[in-house]
Amino acid sequence: MNFSIDNEDYPLIRSGPYWKKFKANFCEFIAVLVQQCQCSILYDNYLMDTIISLLTGLADSMVRAFRHTSTLAAMKLLTAVVGIHLNLDVNKHNAQRLYEVEKQRISGKRTSYRLDQLERKRKEYEHKLLEIQNMMNAIFKGTFLNRYRDVIPEIRATCIEEISSWIKTYPDAFLNDSYLKYVGWMLYDKQAEVRLKCLLGLQGIYSRKELVSRMDLFTNRFKDRIVSMPLDKDHEVAVQAMKLLMLMSQNCEDVLSAEDCEMLHQFVYTTHRPLAVAAGEFLYKRLLSHEGDKEVQPKGGGKFGASTDQLKRLIHFFLESELHKHVAYLIDSLWDWAGKFLKDWECMTTLLLKNAEEDGEALSDAQESALIEIILATVREAAEGHPPVGRGAAKKILSVKEKKIQLEDCTKITEHFIMVLPQLLAKYSTDAQKVANLLQIPQYYDLDVYSTGHLEKHLDALLREIKDIVAKHSDMSVLEASSRTYYILCSEEIAIYSQVDCARTQMIDELMNQLNQLLDCFWQKEGGFCTDAGEISRMHSTLRRIAAFHNAHDLTKWNLYDKTLRFLVFETEHGSLPVLIILPALQCTYFSLLWQLAAVSENSPKETLFPLRRELRRFSQICTCFLQHKEKDVREKAFMILCDWLLILSHLDSNNNQEAVGLLGYLPNAPLQEKLLSFIQEHVFMDEEDEKKDLTEEEKDESCKLDDLHKKRSLLAAYCKLIVYNVVEMTAAAEIYKYYVKTYSDFGDIIKETLSKTRHNNKIQSAKTLILCLQQLFQTHAENQDSSSGVDFSSASFTNIKELARRFSLTFGWDQVKSRESIAMIHKEGIEFAFQGATGVDGKCLPPNLSFLVIISEFSNKLLKPDKRLVYSYLQRYITEPLPCRGDEWQPLVWYRNSLLANEDEESSVFGSLGEWPPMSSSKTSFKRKLSNGSLPETSQTEAASKALEQQGASQLPSTAGKSRKRLKSREMRLQEHLPFLCPGGLRRRYCKDEIKTEDVSEEGPAEDTIEDVDIVGTDQDI
């Protein structure tokens, strides 16, 4: 084994079950050794002194393996000795008591053999205790005091773990500030492992009430640090800190202030679920759960007294926290601890249905809204059985027991809310927010209960209330919730379908009749429309209701398409319709066409497809026209619909009807793609100065800015989907990638995901898109620079391009093999662009884009070592003769060459002098090929000498040379297989007088000959 100073390979830190067991057995051996020697050998002044001296000396070793192993052994030895000391202390006190009893029993001056024996026993224990204390002091001062601050975190963690066990095992000796201070100090350690050991040790101490009273000074000194540790960057440390604070809150009176508790309560909203659950336990036990809840009933509380009191405290906390959109996170945090009262839906609904006249303690409007949100969150948690979105990577896999509980809860939810929900809807029918939340509950029903329980009358009541709500409200959240409820209840597999379908048809008929009446009044004979504000408002509300239901229900039989299309055609021709009518009409037309597309079946006749195709193209033209509309809302709505529309039409799968796909499928042409890209540039990547000019006074508040940012993110995501799914050309992404760094905080995640998806679809094309983005930025930079002064490397624009290239490089990750094709293509395209336009005499004219090599050098560290040689060889094809490069204008070429040949042992021999470029034949990565006459090029004397040495070495070590050649062959085969665009046989040199032509391999010639004829000079030394 290698025992160097920095060796990180020794048994204690090796992974795997075998080495874990070895460490456990090693620690157990030390404990058993001390236990077996506790009678006599432990005190012979030889064994323990020798072991302690050995471990103390090794603990100061510079060799990490010795220091770590000896520290662990010393700490475990001290732990075992502490146990012996505790037993001896107990035996000593027992002997002392027996001695006192025996002494009182004997009267006068008479002596007793029993008394003398007890006296000798007591002195023996005292002598052994003194010996043990000396051992403990020697180990503690000789090892612990030196190693608890060791540079290796594993050693520090071991020391803290063991001192915590000493304090818990023998508090009379160790539970004092002289030892606790070490635990407190290491709470500030930089390594999470050490901080975690401190917290776990303190949990064992604070969990025992008899020990807490002796820790007042420690608590006062380190409380602030512990309170701040739930914010630790390490999740496990944060969780254990929260658990420790809960123990401190339970066993230490008034140790946490109201401000501390208020801050800790907010962790129930964190996205990390284990920390949120720990905070939920803290919140429940400190705020919601009181010992007297079951015994002391609030006045007038009835059978729900305790639960009502808990609910009111929960509602008060939720309202005080002012995070009303995160009630699902709050309920999920409390679910494991307060599941019983959170499932008391009978108590919750009873509290909502109370009248103020009956009970003066009725809830306020804000409390009712909060309670309805809590009801919805608890119903969702019980029915779905997994955390809300954003908390947890994936849906939880339920066990058999959990599935059983879930089914029972669904049945309980259904049986209760089937009867209560119509009453709640009737009470809050005028409140849009409350109704929208209540209407989401039926999606968690077990709908078979309606028929099996003969509860159809309650279904009629629910449908009546929903119909009344749709007539009262035009808010989209309410209408969409109503539409979704009808969609769930209209499942054809259940027995109540006919009943619900009849009610739905009746309601749609009423809406369409209302729309027809409004249309008759709206369209005037002269070709205009009614401008009355009341009529426009009623038309707007009716169209919104129809659009909400058309989203989930097929309304084709009501011929809605022609009615709404008339609005759009009129707007394109005259451009005077109110926005309130254009937006819902556009949505209704879109849904109508979607339902017609969905109705296309395998047997659809061709005659019916042509009219549909005409209408599809017509609608696309209308949306394209609306991209230039004067109203911003119309432009954005048209863009979103057009993006979805193009995505659907380009990926049609009309029930295996290939003829329908051919007729109806549609891909955007070049002008339309340009319009879409221009729209994104103007509406998303708008300069801050232009954006400030467009903002009115009302839009300057923070909430409006967030809404505007959300709209921009939606627009960008819609367009990026077109790129990912190949609806528009991938090269269009180059314009998006330009803003990756500039808008990283707002759109960085969307752009990065687009880059990842396109790379997954086509590595090569994605790489070309990246390099195209950098090329366009470089050209813009060069155009803005003074051509006589050259490229300014220190300018802000050039620095930004270089930073963008660095960010692009980071997106490839650590797996160089996986990304080798993409990286190689970036270098190839970059080299070609850099030397583009170099048409001087003998190719010695300075290429105008040579500085671009500085930018692509950011990708050099992602190349594998063989690929670096191949790229360097490709670079040499553009420089065929020695060129003077002492001037600064050639410095980019030097930098790029250095980035390719970094970490090469023979770098100086490859470079030659800085003033000259080496000829191709002397390069380390030069290739020997068969010429047309079958002979090799003539070699220089240096090459001949090196050949002689190689032949001599080959004669001495034939097997090694053979293996090296095989590895070279396999490597060259892999290069040709994965990087064909960089292989020497596939390309020809440029800008040179005498081109070396490579002969194509004939069909008759074996493939092995081609491999043998290519050899990389100097690579044997690196293999």
Side-chain angles (χ1 to χ4, degrees):
M1 179 177 290
N2 181 17
F3 289 115
S4 61
I5 293 178
D6 296 326
N7 180 35
E8 298 183 3
D9 184 22
Y10 53 94
L12 290 187
I13 62 173
R14 287 179 180 172
S15 59
Y18 176 81
W19 296 109
K20 289 182 180 180
K21 187 176 181 181
F22 168 81
K23 182 179 179 180
N25 291 339
F26 178 68
C27 298
E28 183 182 0
F29 164 74
I30 297 173
V32 172
L33 174 65
V34 174
Q35 185 179 8
Q36 295 297 323
C37 299
Q38 64 178 328
C39 295
S40 59
I41 303 178
L42 198 64
Y43 314 100
D44 63 357
N45 295 326
Y46 176 75
L47 176 64
M48 292 303 295
D49 291 350
T50 305
I51 294 176
I52 292 173
S53 299
L54 174 64
L55 296 179
T56 302
L58 289 175
D60 291 332
S61 172
M62 295 293 291
V63 179
R64 172 177 175 172
F66 293 161
R67 195 168 71 254
H68 189 182
T69 306
S70 59
T71 302
L72 176 63
M75 294 299 99
K76 291 298 181 181
L77 182 64
L78 182 50
T79 301
V81 171
V82 167
I84 300 299
H85 189 284
L86 182 62
N87 293 334
L88 288 174
D89 195 44
V90 172
N91 293 334
K92 174 192 169 185
H93 284 85
N94 292 338
Q96 182 68 30
R97 269 200 319 273
L98 290 175
Y99 177 82
E100 295 296 337
V101 171
E102 186 69 20
K103 186 176 181 180
Q104 292 178 3
R105 191 174 63 82
I106 299 175
S107 59
K109 298 182 180 180
R110 291 188 304 166
T111 60
S112 169
Y113 172 77
R114 174 66 175 168
L115 192 63
D116 294 339
Q117 186 182 26
L118 290 174
E119 177 68 15
R120 287 193 301 271
K121 197 72 171 175
R122 184 175 62 85
K123 290 182 178 180
E124 180 184 353
Y125 287 140
E126 290 179 352
H127 175 72
K128 289 184 177 181
L129 282 171
L130 183 61
E131 291 285 340
I132 292 294
Q133 288 175 358
N134 292 334
M135 297 176 194
M136 291 167 56
N137 290 333
I139 299 175
F140 186 82
K141 294 179 180 179
T143 304
F144 180 87
L145 290 182
N146 295 329
R147 298 277 70 81
Y148 85 95
R149 297 176 299 176
D150 196 279
V151 70
I152 306 301
E154 290 87 350
I155 297 178
R156 302 198 301 271
T158 298
C159 293
I160 296 303
E161 182 180 14
E162 295 307 316
I163 194 175
S164 301
S165 68
W166 307 336
I167 296 173
K168 289 181 288 185
T169 303
Y170 197 8
D172 293 337
F174 290 96
L175 188 57
N176 56 66
D177 298 319
S178 299
Y179 294 98
L180 285 171
K181 64 182 180 182
Y182 300 110
V183 181
W185 289 343
M186 301 313 288
L187 288 171
Y188 297 89
D189 195 275
K190 293 182 179 180
Q191 295 295 324
E193 179 184 2
V194 182
R195 300 194 299 271
L196 183 62
K197 294 296 183 183
C198 294
L199 294 172
L200 293 175
L202 291 173
Q203 286 180 17
I205 299 172
Y206 278 100
S207 62
R208 297 165 59 179
K209 288 187 177 181
E210 67 275 11
L211 303 182
V212 172
S213 59
R214 300 161 61 180
M215 297 188 64
D216 293 340
L217 185 59
F218 177 87
T219 302
N220 294 332
R221 169 66 179 81
F222 295 103
K223 185 204 76 171
D224 292 340
R225 170 58 181 164
I226 298 174
V227 169
S228 68
M229 291 186 77
L231 293 169
D232 197 282
K233 63 181 180 180
D234 185 85
H235 290 319
E236 186 61 26
V237 172
V239 172
Q240 298 304 326
M242 183 62 71
K243 292 182 178 180
L244 174 60
L245 288 166
M246 187 189 63
L247 293 174
M248 294 173 64
S249 174
Q250 289 178 337
N251 298 328
C252 303
E253 295 183 0
D254 301 328
V255 66
L256 297 178
S257 63
E259 292 78 10
D260 294 335
C261 293
E262 183 178 355
M263 186 270 291
L264 295 173
H265 290 161
Q266 300 303 314
F267 282 96
V268 296
Y269 296 107
T270 186
T271 55
H272 184 58
R273 192 172 191 275
L275 177 58
V277 171
E281 182 183 8
F282 182 88
L283 173 64
Y284 177 71
K285 292 184 177 179
R286 186 168 180 89
L287 185 65
L288 302 180
S289 176
H290 293 306
E291 295 179 356
D293 277 347
K294 294 184 179 180
E295 291 79 8
V296 180
Q297 302 291 345
K299 185 177 180 181
K303 65 175 182 178
F304 302 120
S307 296
T308 301
D309 188 45
Q310 286 181 319
L311 277 174
K312 288 183 177 180
R313 289 198 295 267
L314 178 61
I315 293 170
H316 177 74
F317 167 77
F318 177 54
L319 294 176
E320 289 293 322
S321 64
E322 298 181 352
L323 294 171
H324 298 176
K325 294 183 180 180
H326 301 286
V327 63
Y329 278 26
L330 172 62
I331 297 302
D332 182 60
S333 302
L334 293 169
W335 195 254
D336 294 344
W337 311 105
K340 183 177 180 181
F341 96 86
L342 289 177
K343 293 181 182 179
D344 195 350
W345 295 294
E346 185 178 358
C347 171
M348 297 179 188
T349 53
T350 301
L351 197 59
L352 283 175
L353 292 172
K354 278 185 179 180
N355 294 323
E357 295 78 9
E358 299 176 3
D359 190 348
E361 298 181 359
L363 300 178
S364 64
D365 182 70
Q367 290 175 328
E368 287 178 339
S369 298
L371 182 53
I372 289 175
E373 291 184 39
I374 291 172
I375 290 175
L376 176 60
T378 55
V379 168
R380 182 187 295 115
E381 186 84 16
E384 294 181 350
H386 58 78
V389 177
R391 179 178 285 177
K395 291 186 177 181
K396 180 182 177 183
I397 300 177
L398 303 178
S399 62
V400 176
K401 182 179 179 181
E402 289 172 335
K403 288 182 179 179
K404 182 180 179 182
I405 295 175
Q406 182 184 13
L407 292 175
E408 293 175 353
D409 288 339
C410 286
T411 303
K412 183 180 177 182
I413 291 169
T414 306
E415 292 175 349
H416 176 70
F417 283 98
I418 275 179
M419 295 179 287
V420 175
L421 185 59
Q423 302 175 38
L424 293 173
L425 291 175
K427 181 176 181 180
Y428 300 110
S429 60
T430 58
D431 193 314
Q433 181 183 2
K434 295 186 179 72
V435 168
N437 288 325
L438 289 171
L439 284 174
Q440 296 182 50
I441 295 178
Q443 64 182 296
Y444 304 105
Y445 280 2
D446 179 7
L447 297 177
D448 292 331
V449 175
Y450 273 114
S451 55
T452 57
H454 304 288
L455 301 173
E456 287 81 2
K457 63 177 183 178
H458 296 290
L459 177 61
D460 289 333
L462 175 63
L463 296 175
R464 283 196 305 270
E465 294 299 333
I466 295 177
K467 181 180 178 181
D468 182 59
I469 288 169
V470 171
K472 289 180 180 179
H473 293 275
S474 61
D475 184 83
M476 284 306 296
S477 61
V478 176
L479 297 176
E480 288 174 356
S482 303
S483 175
R484 180 170 178 79
T485 302
Y486 269 107
Y487 176 77
I488 293 167
L489 296 176
C490 279
S491 178
E492 297 182 0
E493 293 80 13
I494 57 178
I496 61 174
Y497 168 74
S498 58
Q499 185 178 356
V500 179
D501 183 56
C502 180
R504 178 183 61 178
T505 303
Q506 182 181 358
M507 185 188 65
I508 298 298
D509 284 337
E510 294 179 2
L511 288 175
M512 296 305 298
N513 291 334
Q514 184 180 359
L515 176 63
N516 292 330
Q517 293 175 4
L518 291 171
L519 287 174
D520 293 339
C521 299
F522 186 80
W523 296 115
Q524 298 178 357
K525 295 182 179 179
E526 294 79 9
F529 62 92
C530 179
T531 58
D532 181 66
E535 290 294 323
I536 292 175
S537 178
R538 286 190 289 272
M539 178 70 72
H540 169 69
S541 300
T542 303
L543 286 174
R544 282 170 68 92
R545 294 187 182 99
I546 294 174
F549 277 86
H550 208 356
N551 187 12
H553 307 272
D554 187 4
L555 309 184
T556 305
K557 64 181 180 180
W558 280 276
N559 298 320
L560 181 64
Y561 176 74
D562 295 332
K563 299 180 178 69
T564 57
L565 182 64
R566 184 179 178 183
F567 288 110
L568 304 182
V569 173
F570 184 88
E571 176 64 18
T572 55
E573 295 175 353
H574 301 88
S576 57
L577 278 180
V579 178
L580 293 178
I581 294 180
I582 297 174
L583 293 177
L586 187 63
Q587 196 77 52
C588 288
T589 308
Y590 173 55
F591 290 146
S592 297
L593 288 175
L594 285 181
W595 282 109
Q596 293 181 47
L597 271 178
V600 175
S601 63
E602 185 176 356
N603 299 321
S604 297
K606 191 173 182 179
E607 292 75 15
T608 62
L609 297 179
F610 281 107
L612 178 58
R613 179 187 180 185
R614 183 176 60 253
E615 297 303 325
L616 296 181
R617 301 296 185 270
R618 187 179 187 182
F619 182 71
S620 299
Q621 293 174 357
I622 291 174
C623 290
T624 305
C625 179
F626 281 172
L627 293 180
Q628 306 297 327
H629 199 275
K630 60 183 179 179
E631 295 292 339
K632 182 180 178 182
D633 292 338
V634 176
R635 294 197 302 267
E636 291 178 349
K637 189 69 173 180
F639 180 84
M640 294 295 295
I641 290 178
L642 184 58
C643 288
D644 292 341
W645 188 238
L646 293 174
L647 187 63
I648 293 171
L649 293 182
S650 60
H651 291 76
L652 282 179
D653 183 16
S654 301
N655 300 318
N656 299 320
N657 191 339
Q658 296 300 324
E659 186 177 12
V661 173
L663 287 174
L664 303 179
Y666 178 70
L667 285 173
N669 53 24
L672 179 55
Q673 294 188 32
E674 292 178 0
K675 291 180 180 179
L676 294 173
L677 181 57
S678 299
F679 185 92
I680 286 295
Q681 291 175 325
E682 294 173 5
H683 291 74
V684 176
F685 300 116
M686 185 189 303
D687 292 335
E688 293 184 2
E689 293 78 9
D690 297 336
E691 188 175 5
K692 289 178 181 178
K693 293 178 183 178
D694 293 343
L695 287 175
T696 62
E697 293 295 329
E698 297 179 356
E699 293 174 329
K700 290 183 179 179
D701 59 273
E702 197 65 28
S703 60
C704 289
K705 289 181 180 179
L706 290 176
D707 292 339
D708 186 57
L709 176 61
H710 178 70
K711 289 181 180 179
K712 289 182 177 181
R713 287 175 58 85
S714 299
L715 294 172
L716 180 60
Y719 182 74
C720 288
K721 281 194 295 184
L722 299 182
I723 298 174
V724 170
Y725 289 100
N726 298 318
V727 179
V728 300
E729 296 292 337
M730 192 183 294
T731 53
E735 296 294 334
I736 306 296
Y737 295 160
K738 292 178 182 179
Y739 301 92
Y740 180 50
V741 176
K742 185 178 179 181
T743 62
Y744 186 80
S745 59
D746 294 335
F747 312 115
D749 55 335
I750 299 176
I751 299 176
K752 187 175 182 180
E753 185 66 17
T754 304
L755 202 158
S756 175
K757 294 292 185 182
T758 53
R759 185 177 298 155
H760 177 75
N761 294 340
N762 191 326
K763 294 181 180 179
I764 301 301
Q765 189 61 33
S766 176
K768 289 183 177 180
T769 305
L770 288 183
I771 201 66
L772 176 63
C773 171
L774 297 174
Q775 289 171 1
Q776 292 175 351
L777 289 173
F778 180 83
Q779 288 176 333
T780 303
H781 167 77
E783 291 172 359
N784 296 331
Q785 293 288 320
D786 186 3
S787 59
S788 61
S789 61
V791 177
D792 183 8
F793 298 131
S794 61
S795 63
S797 59
F798 189 86
T799 304
N800 292 336
I801 299 173
K802 198 168 183 292
E803 173 63 18
L804 181 61
R806 188 185 70 84
R807 293 288 191 94
F808 285 162
S809 175
L810 292 176
T811 61
F812 286 97
W814 295 100
D815 192 349
Q816 293 177 307
V817 176
K818 184 178 180 181
S819 60
R820 65 183 305 191
E821 297 178 19
S822 301
I823 297 296
M825 176 56 70
I826 288 175
H827 282 276
K828 174 183 176 295
E829 295 287 330
I831 292 171
E832 292 178 355
F833 176 77
F835 287 93
Q836 189 176 15
T839 58
V841 180
D842 298 334
K844 295 184 179 181
C845 177
L846 181 70
N849 300 329
L850 188 66
S851 301
F852 191 73
L853 295 176
V854 178
I855 295 173
I856 63 172
S857 64
E858 294 291 338
F859 298 91
S860 297
N861 62 336
K862 295 296 181 181
L863 284 169
L864 292 171
K865 195 171 184 180
D867 296 347
K868 284 186 177 181
R869 296 171 182 152
L870 203 58
V871 171
Y872 178 74
S873 175
Y874 187 75
L875 175 66
Q876 289 295 90
R877 296 173 180 275
Y878 292 85
I879 305 296
T880 59
E881 294 184 4
L883 292 176
C885 56
R886 293 188 179 90
D888 293 339
E889 64 272 9
W890 290 98
Q891 198 63 32
L893 188 57
V894 177
W895 289 340
Y896 182 58
R897 181 190 60 180
N898 291 346
S899 70
L900 291 177
L901 296 175
N903 302 324
E904 293 287 348
D905 296 334
E906 298 83 14
E907 184 174 344
S908 59
S909 64
V910 176
F911 290 167
S913 64
L914 288 177
E916 293 182 350
W917 284 100
M920 189 67 180
S921 59
S922 62
S923 173
K924 179 179 178 179
T925 55
S926 62
F927 290 85
K928 294 182 295 185
R929 305 178 182 278
K930 278 187 177 182
L931 300 179
S932 58
N933 58 1
S935 61
L936 290 174
E938 295 182 0
T939 57
S940 62
Q941 294 180 357
T942 306
E943 290 177 336
S946 63
K947 279 187 177 182
L949 290 175
E950 289 177 3
Q951 292 174 359
Q952 182 180 358
S955 62
Q956 294 174 356
L957 298 172
S959 59
T960 305
K963 292 179 180 178
S964 299
R965 177 55 61 91
K966 289 180 180 179
R967 287 196 292 267
L968 284 173
K969 291 179 183 179
S970 61
R971 176 179 296 179
E972 187 67 24
M973 290 176 65
R974 290 196 299 270
L975 291 176
Q976 293 183 3
E977 178 182 353
H978 295 287
L979 308 176
F981 46 82
L982 284 178
C983 286
L987 294 169
R988 300 173 65 184
R989 297 183 182 179
R990 303 179 185 179
Y991 312 124
C992 60
K993 295 180 180 179
D994 300 322
E995 295 183 348
I996 299 179
K997 299 181 180 179
T998 58
E999 185 178 12
D1000 295 334
V1001 181
S1002 61
E1003 296 181 0
E1004 294 81 3
E1008 290 78 11
D1009 293 341
T1010 305
I1011 299 172
E1012 289 182 359
D1013 292 336
V1014 179
D1015 185 24
I1016 302 177
V1017 177
T1019 43
D1020 287 334
Q1021 300 172 2
D1022 298 321
I1023 296 179

